[in-house]
CSV table of all heavy atoms in Angstrom, one decimal:
chain,number,residue,atom,x,y,z
A,1,ARG,N,103.4,127.5,87.6
A,1,ARG,CA,103.0,128.3,86.5
A,1,ARG,C,103.4,127.5,85.2
A,1,ARG,O,104.5,127.2,85.0
A,1,ARG,CB,103.7,129.6,86.5
A,1,ARG,CG,103.5,130.4,87.8
A,1,ARG,CD,104.3,131.6,87.9
A,1,ARG,NE,104.2,132.4,89.2
A,1,ARG,CZ,104.8,133.5,89.4
A,1,ARG,NH1,105.7,134.0,88.5
A,1,ARG,NH2,104.6,134.1,90.6
A,2,ARG,N,102.4,127.3,84.4
A,2,ARG,CA,102.6,126.5,83.1
A,2,ARG,C,103.1,127.5,82.0
A,2,ARG,O,102.6,128.5,81.8
A,2,ARG,CB,101.3,125.9,82.7
A,2,ARG,CG,101.4,125.1,81.3
A,2,ARG,CD,100.1,124.5,81.0
A,2,ARG,NE,100.2,123.8,79.7
A,2,ARG,CZ,99.9,124.4,78.5
A,2,ARG,NH1,99.4,125.7,78.5
A,2,ARG,NH2,100.0,123.7,77.4
A,3,ASP,N,104.2,127.1,81.4
A,3,ASP,CA,104.8,127.8,80.2
A,3,ASP,C,105.4,126.8,79.3
A,3,ASP,O,106.6,126.5,79.4
A,3,ASP,CB,105.8,128.9,80.6
A,3,ASP,CG,106.2,129.7,79.4
A,3,ASP,OD1,105.8,129.4,78.3
A,3,ASP,OD2,106.9,130.7,79.6
A,4,PRO,N,104.6,126.3,78.3
A,4,PRO,CA,105.2,125.2,77.4
A,4,PRO,C,106.3,125.8,76.5
A,4,PRO,O,107.1,125.0,76.0
A,4,PRO,CB,104.0,124.8,76.6
A,4,PRO,CG,103.0,125.9,76.7
A,4,PRO,CD,103.2,126.5,78.0
A,5,ALA,N,106.4,127.1,76.4
A,5,ALA,CA,107.5,127.7,75.5
A,5,ALA,C,108.8,127.9,76.3
A,5,ALA,O,109.8,128.3,75.7
A,5,ALA,CB,107.0,129.0,74.9
A,6,ALA,N,108.7,127.8,77.6
A,6,ALA,CA,110.0,128.1,78.4
A,6,ALA,C,111.0,127.1,78.1
A,6,ALA,O,110.8,125.9,77.9
A,6,ALA,CB,109.6,128.1,79.9
A,7,ARG,N,112.3,127.6,77.9
A,7,ARG,CA,113.4,126.6,77.7
A,7,ARG,C,113.6,125.8,79.0
A,7,ARG,O,113.3,126.2,80.1
A,7,ARG,CB,114.7,127.4,77.4
A,7,ARG,CG,115.2,128.2,78.5
A,7,ARG,CD,116.6,128.9,78.2
A,7,ARG,NE,117.0,129.6,79.4
A,7,ARG,CZ,117.7,129.0,80.4
A,7,ARG,NH1,118.1,127.8,80.3
A,7,ARG,NH2,118.1,129.7,81.4
A,8,LYS,N,114.2,124.6,78.8
A,8,LYS,CA,114.4,123.8,80.0
A,8,LYS,C,115.7,124.2,80.7
A,8,LYS,O,116.8,124.4,80.0
A,8,LYS,CB,114.6,122.3,79.5
A,8,LYS,CG,114.8,121.3,80.6
A,8,LYS,CD,114.9,119.9,80.1
A,8,LYS,CE,115.0,118.9,81.3
A,8,LYS,NZ,115.1,117.5,80.8
A,9,ARG,N,115.6,124.5,81.9
A,9,ARG,CA,116.7,125.0,82.7
A,9,ARG,C,117.8,124.0,82.8
A,9,ARG,O,117.6,122.8,83.0
A,9,ARG,CB,116.3,125.4,84.1
A,9,ARG,CG,117.4,125.7,85.1
A,9,ARG,CD,116.8,126.0,86.5
A,9,ARG,NE,117.9,126.2,87.4
A,9,ARG,CZ,118.3,125.2,88.2
A,9,ARG,NH1,117.7,124.0,88.2
A,9,ARG,NH2,119.4,125.4,89.0
A,10,SER,N,119.1,124.4,82.7
A,10,SER,CA,120.2,123.6,82.9
A,10,SER,C,120.6,123.4,84.3
A,10,SER,O,120.5,124.4,85.1
A,10,SER,CB,121.5,124.2,82.2
A,10,SER,OG,122.7,123.5,82.6
A,11,PRO,N,120.9,122.2,84.8
A,11,PRO,CA,121.3,122.1,86.2
A,11,PRO,C,122.6,122.8,86.6
A,11,PRO,O,122.9,122.8,87.8
A,11,PRO,CB,121.4,120.5,86.4
A,11,PRO,CG,121.7,120.0,85.0
A,11,PRO,CD,120.9,120.9,84.1
A,12,ARG,N,123.3,123.3,85.6
A,12,ARG,CA,124.6,124.0,85.9
A,12,ARG,C,124.4,125.5,86.0
A,12,ARG,O,125.3,126.2,86.4
A,12,ARG,CB,125.6,123.7,84.7
A,12,ARG,CG,125.8,122.3,84.4
A,12,ARG,CD,126.5,121.5,85.5
A,12,ARG,NE,127.8,122.0,85.7
A,12,ARG,CZ,128.7,121.5,86.7
A,12,ARG,NH1,128.3,120.5,87.4
A,12,ARG,NH2,129.9,122.0,86.8
A,13,GLU,N,123.2,126.0,85.8
A,13,GLU,CA,123.0,127.5,85.9
A,13,GLU,C,122.4,127.9,87.2
A,13,GLU,O,122.1,127.0,88.1
A,13,GLU,CB,122.1,127.9,84.7
A,13,GLU,CG,120.6,127.4,84.9
A,13,GLU,CD,119.8,127.9,83.7
A,13,GLU,OE1,119.3,129.1,83.7
A,13,GLU,OE2,119.6,127.2,82.7
A,14,ALA,N,122.4,129.2,87.4
A,14,ALA,CA,121.8,129.7,88.7
A,14,ALA,C,120.3,129.4,88.7
A,14,ALA,O,119.7,129.2,87.7
A,14,ALA,CB,122.1,131.2,88.7
A,15,GLY,N,119.8,129.4,89.9
A,15,GLY,CA,118.4,129.2,90.1
A,15,GLY,C,118.1,128.3,91.3
A,15,GLY,O,118.8,128.5,92.4
A,16,LEU,N,117.2,127.4,91.3
A,16,LEU,CA,116.8,126.6,92.4
A,16,LEU,C,117.8,125.4,92.7
A,16,LEU,O,118.1,124.7,91.7
A,16,LEU,CB,115.4,126.1,92.3
A,16,LEU,CG,114.8,125.3,93.5
A,16,LEU,CD1,114.6,126.3,94.6
A,16,LEU,CD2,113.5,124.6,93.1
A,17,PHE,N,118.2,125.3,93.9
A,17,PHE,CA,118.9,124.0,94.3
A,17,PHE,C,117.8,123.1,95.0
A,17,PHE,O,117.6,122.0,94.6
A,17,PHE,CB,120.0,124.3,95.3
A,17,PHE,CG,120.9,123.2,95.6
A,17,PHE,CD1,121.6,122.5,94.6
A,17,PHE,CD2,121.0,122.7,96.9
A,17,PHE,CE1,122.4,121.4,95.0
A,17,PHE,CE2,121.8,121.6,97.2
A,17,PHE,CZ,122.5,121.0,96.3
A,18,HIS,N,117.1,123.6,95.9
A,18,HIS,CA,115.9,122.9,96.4
A,18,HIS,C,115.0,123.9,97.2
A,18,HIS,O,115.4,124.9,97.7
A,18,HIS,CB,116.2,121.7,97.2
A,18,HIS,CG,117.0,122.0,98.5
A,18,HIS,ND1,118.3,121.4,98.7
A,18,HIS,CD2,116.7,122.7,99.6
A,18,HIS,CE1,118.7,121.8,99.9
A,18,HIS,NE2,117.8,122.6,100.4
A,19,THR,N,113.7,123.5,97.2
A,19,THR,CA,112.7,124.0,98.1
A,19,THR,C,112.6,123.1,99.3
A,19,THR,O,112.4,121.9,99.1
A,19,THR,CB,111.3,124.1,97.4
A,19,THR,OG1,111.4,124.9,96.2
A,19,THR,CG2,110.3,124.7,98.3
A,20,ALA,N,112.7,123.6,100.5
A,20,ALA,CA,112.8,122.8,101.7
A,20,ALA,C,111.5,122.9,102.5
A,20,ALA,O,111.2,124.0,103.0
A,20,ALA,CB,114.0,123.2,102.5
A,21,PHE,N,110.8,121.8,102.5
A,21,PHE,CA,109.5,121.7,103.2
A,21,PHE,C,109.8,121.2,104.6
A,21,PHE,O,110.3,120.1,104.9
A,21,PHE,CB,108.6,120.8,102.5
A,21,PHE,CG,108.2,121.3,101.1
A,21,PHE,CD1,108.9,121.0,100.0
A,21,PHE,CD2,107.0,122.1,101.0
A,21,PHE,CE1,108.6,121.4,98.7
A,21,PHE,CE2,106.7,122.5,99.7
A,21,PHE,CZ,107.4,122.2,98.6
A,22,LEU,N,109.4,122.1,105.6
A,22,LEU,CA,109.7,121.8,107.0
A,22,LEU,C,108.5,121.2,107.6
A,22,LEU,O,107.4,121.8,107.6
A,22,LEU,CB,110.0,123.1,107.7
A,22,LEU,CG,110.2,123.1,109.2
A,22,LEU,CD1,111.3,122.2,109.7
A,22,LEU,CD2,110.4,124.5,109.8
A,23,LEU,N,108.7,120.0,108.2
A,23,LEU,CA,107.6,119.4,109.0
A,23,LEU,C,107.7,119.7,110.5
A,23,LEU,O,108.8,120.0,111.0
A,23,LEU,CB,107.7,117.9,108.8
A,23,LEU,CG,107.6,117.4,107.3
A,23,LEU,CD1,107.7,115.9,107.2
A,23,LEU,CD2,106.3,117.9,106.7
A,24,PRO,N,106.6,119.7,111.2
A,24,PRO,CA,106.6,120.2,112.5
A,24,PRO,C,107.4,119.4,113.5
A,24,PRO,O,107.8,119.9,114.5
A,24,PRO,CB,105.1,120.1,112.9
A,24,PRO,CG,104.3,120.2,111.6
A,24,PRO,CD,105.2,119.5,110.7
A,25,SER,N,107.6,118.1,113.3
A,25,SER,CA,108.3,117.2,114.2
A,25,SER,C,109.0,116.1,113.6
A,25,SER,O,108.8,115.8,112.4
A,25,SER,CB,107.2,116.6,115.2
A,25,SER,OG,106.5,115.6,114.6
A,26,ARG,N,109.9,115.5,114.4
A,26,ARG,CA,110.7,114.4,113.9
A,26,ARG,C,109.8,113.2,113.6
A,26,ARG,O,110.0,112.5,112.6
A,26,ARG,CB,111.7,114.0,115.0
A,26,ARG,CG,112.7,112.9,114.5
A,26,ARG,CD,113.8,112.7,115.5
A,26,ARG,NE,115.0,112.0,114.9
A,26,ARG,CZ,115.2,110.7,115.1
A,26,ARG,NH1,114.3,110.0,115.8
A,26,ARG,NH2,116.2,110.2,114.5
A,27,ALA,N,108.7,113.0,114.3
A,27,ALA,CA,107.7,112.0,114.1
A,27,ALA,C,107.1,112.2,112.7
A,27,ALA,O,106.8,111.2,112.0
A,27,ALA,CB,106.7,111.9,115.2
A,28,ASP,N,106.8,113.4,112.4
A,28,ASP,CA,106.2,113.7,111.1
A,28,ASP,C,107.1,113.3,109.9
A,28,ASP,O,106.7,112.8,108.9
A,28,ASP,CB,105.8,115.2,110.9
A,28,ASP,CG,104.7,115.6,111.8
A,28,ASP,OD1,103.6,115.0,111.7
A,28,ASP,OD2,104.8,116.6,112.6
A,29,LEU,N,108.4,113.6,110.1
A,29,LEU,CA,109.4,113.3,109.1
A,29,LEU,C,109.5,111.8,109.0
A,29,LEU,O,109.6,111.2,107.9
A,29,LEU,CB,110.8,113.9,109.5
A,29,LEU,CG,111.9,113.6,108.4
A,29,LEU,CD1,111.5,114.1,107.1
A,29,LEU,CD2,113.2,114.2,108.9
A,30,GLY,N,109.5,111.1,110.1
A,30,GLY,CA,109.5,109.6,110.1
A,30,GLY,C,108.3,109.0,109.4
A,30,GLY,O,108.4,108.1,108.6
A,31,ALA,N,107.1,109.6,109.6
A,31,ALA,CA,105.9,109.1,109.0
A,31,ALA,C,106.0,109.4,107.5
A,31,ALA,O,105.6,108.5,106.7
A,31,ALA,CB,104.7,109.8,109.6
A,32,TRP,N,106.5,110.6,107.1
A,32,TRP,CA,106.7,110.8,105.6
A,32,TRP,C,107.7,109.9,105.0
A,32,TRP,O,107.5,109.4,103.9
A,32,TRP,CB,107.1,112.3,105.4
A,32,TRP,CG,107.3,112.5,103.9
A,32,TRP,CD1,106.3,112.8,103.0
A,32,TRP,CD2,108.5,112.4,103.2
A,32,TRP,NE1,106.9,112.9,101.7
A,32,TRP,CE2,108.2,112.6,101.8
A,32,TRP,CE3,109.8,112.2,103.6
A,32,TRP,CZ2,109.2,112.6,100.8
A,32,TRP,CZ3,110.8,112.1,102.6
A,32,TRP,CH2,110.5,112.4,101.2
A,33,LEU,N,108.8,109.6,105.7
A,33,LEU,CA,109.8,108.7,105.1
A,33,LEU,C,109.2,107.3,104.9
A,33,LEU,O,109.5,106.7,103.9
A,33,LEU,CB,111.0,108.7,106.0
A,33,LEU,CG,112.3,108.0,105.5
A,33,LEU,CD1,112.7,108.6,104.2
A,33,LEU,CD2,113.4,108.1,106.6
A,34,ALA,N,108.4,106.9,105.8
A,34,ALA,CA,107.7,105.6,105.6
A,34,ALA,C,106.8,105.6,104.4
A,34,ALA,O,106.7,104.7,103.6
A,34,ALA,CB,107.0,105.1,106.9
A,35,HIS,N,106.1,106.7,104.3
A,35,HIS,CA,105.2,106.9,103.1
A,35,HIS,C,106.0,106.9,101.8
A,35,HIS,O,105.6,106.3,100.8
A,35,HIS,CB,104.4,108.3,103.3
A,35,HIS,CG,104.0,108.9,102.0
A,35,HIS,ND1,102.9,108.4,101.3
A,35,HIS,CD2,104.4,109.9,101.3
A,35,HIS,CE1,102.7,109.1,100.2
A,35,HIS,NE2,103.6,110.1,100.2
A,36,ALA,N,107.2,107.6,101.8
A,36,ALA,CA,108.0,107.6,100.6
A,36,ALA,C,108.4,106.2,100.2
A,36,ALA,O,108.4,105.9,99.0
A,36,ALA,CB,109.2,108.5,100.9
A,37,GLY,N,108.7,105.4,101.2
A,37,GLY,CA,109.1,104.0,100.9
A,37,GLY,C,108.0,103.2,100.3
A,37,GLY,O,108.1,102.5,99.4
A,38,ARG,N,106.8,103.3,100.9
A,38,ARG,CA,105.6,102.6,100.4
A,38,ARG,C,105.3,103.1,99.0
A,38,ARG,O,104.8,102.3,98.2
A,38,ARG,CB,104.4,102.8,101.4
A,38,ARG,CG,104.6,102.2,102.7
A,38,ARG,CD,103.2,102.2,103.5
A,38,ARG,NE,102.8,103.6,103.7
A,38,ARG,CZ,103.1,104.3,104.7
A,38,ARG,NH1,103.8,103.8,105.7
A,38,ARG,NH2,102.6,105.5,104.9
A,39,SER,N,105.5,104.4,98.7
A,39,SER,CA,105.1,104.9,97.5
A,39,SER,C,106.1,104.7,96.4
A,39,SER,O,105.8,105.0,95.2
A,39,SER,CB,104.8,106.4,97.6
A,39,SER,OG,103.8,106.7,98.6
A,40,GLY,N,107.3,104.2,96.7
A,40,GLY,CA,108.3,104.0,95.7
A,40,GLY,C,109.0,105.2,95.2
A,40,GLY,O,109.5,105.3,94.1
A,41,LEU,N,108.9,106.3,96.1
A,41,LEU,CA,109.6,107.5,95.6
A,41,LEU,C,111.1,107.4,95.5
A,41,LEU,O,111.7,106.7,96.3
A,41,LEU,CB,109.3,108.6,96.7
A,41,LEU,CG,107.9,109.2,96.7
A,41,LEU,CD1,107.7,110.2,97.9
A,41,LEU,CD2,107.5,109.8,95.4
A,42,ARG,N,111.6,108.0,94.5
A,42,ARG,CA,113.1,107.9,94.2
A,42,ARG,C,113.8,109.0,95.0
A,42,ARG,O,113.7,110.2,94.7
A,42,ARG,CB,113.4,108.0,92.7
A,42,ARG,CG,114.8,107.8,92.4
A,42,ARG,CD,115.0,107.9,90.9
A,42,ARG,NE,116.4,107.7,90.6
A,42,ARG,CZ,116.9,107.8,89.3
A,42,ARG,NH1,116.1,108.0,88.3
A,42,ARG,NH2,118.2,107.6,89.1
A,43,LEU,N,114.4,108.6,96.1
A,43,LEU,CA,115.1,109.6,96.9
A,43,LEU,C,116.5,109.8,96.4
A,43,LEU,O,117.1,108.8,95.9
A,43,LEU,CB,115.1,109.1,98.4
A,43,LEU,CG,113.7,108.8,99.0
A,43,LEU,CD1,113.9,108.4,100.5
A,43,LEU,CD2,112.8,110.1,98.9
A,44,GLN,N,117.0,111.0,96.6
A,44,GLN,CA,118.4,111.3,96.0
A,44,GLN,C,119.4,111.4,97.1
A,44,GLN,O,120.6,111.5,96.8
A,44,GLN,CB,118.3,112.6,95.3
A,44,GLN,CG,117.4,112.5,94.0
A,44,GLN,CD,117.3,113.8,93.3
A,44,GLN,OE1,117.5,114.9,93.8
A,44,GLN,NE2,117.1,113.7,92.0
A,45,GLY,N,119.0,111.4,98.4
A,45,GLY,CA,120.0,111.6,99.4
A,45,GLY,C,119.3,111.8,100.8
A,45,GLY,O,118.1,112.1,100.8
A,46,ALA,N,120.1,111.8,101.8
A,46,ALA,CA,119.6,112.1,103.2
A,46,ALA,C,120.8,112.5,104.0
A,46,ALA,O,121.9,112.1,103.8
A,46,ALA,CB,118.9,110.9,103.8
């Protein structure tokens, strides 16, 4: 939802830590991880 007037949330306040997207299988996660590497996605942890 777009709201250009909304204040920027502080990482120290309540709210979202993360949305967790569940893949059907370990092979799907492996395929996505390879895609993340090819795409240059900046990962924060595992």
Side-chain angles (χ1 to χ4, degrees):
R1 306 173 182 180
R2 177 178 177 269
D3 186 353
R7 69 175 182 85
K8 185 177 180 180
R9 172 182 170 261
S10 165
R12 308 292 296 181
E13 66 181 276
L16 185 68
F17 190 62
H18 60 242
T19 302
F21 293 89
L22 172 63
L23 301 181
S25 71
R26 190 172 194 260
D28 289 309
L29 181 58
W32 177 82
L33 188 56
H35 156 75
R38 290 190 301 269
S39 303
L41 288 177
R42 184 177 179 182
L43 304 181
Q44 297 180 330

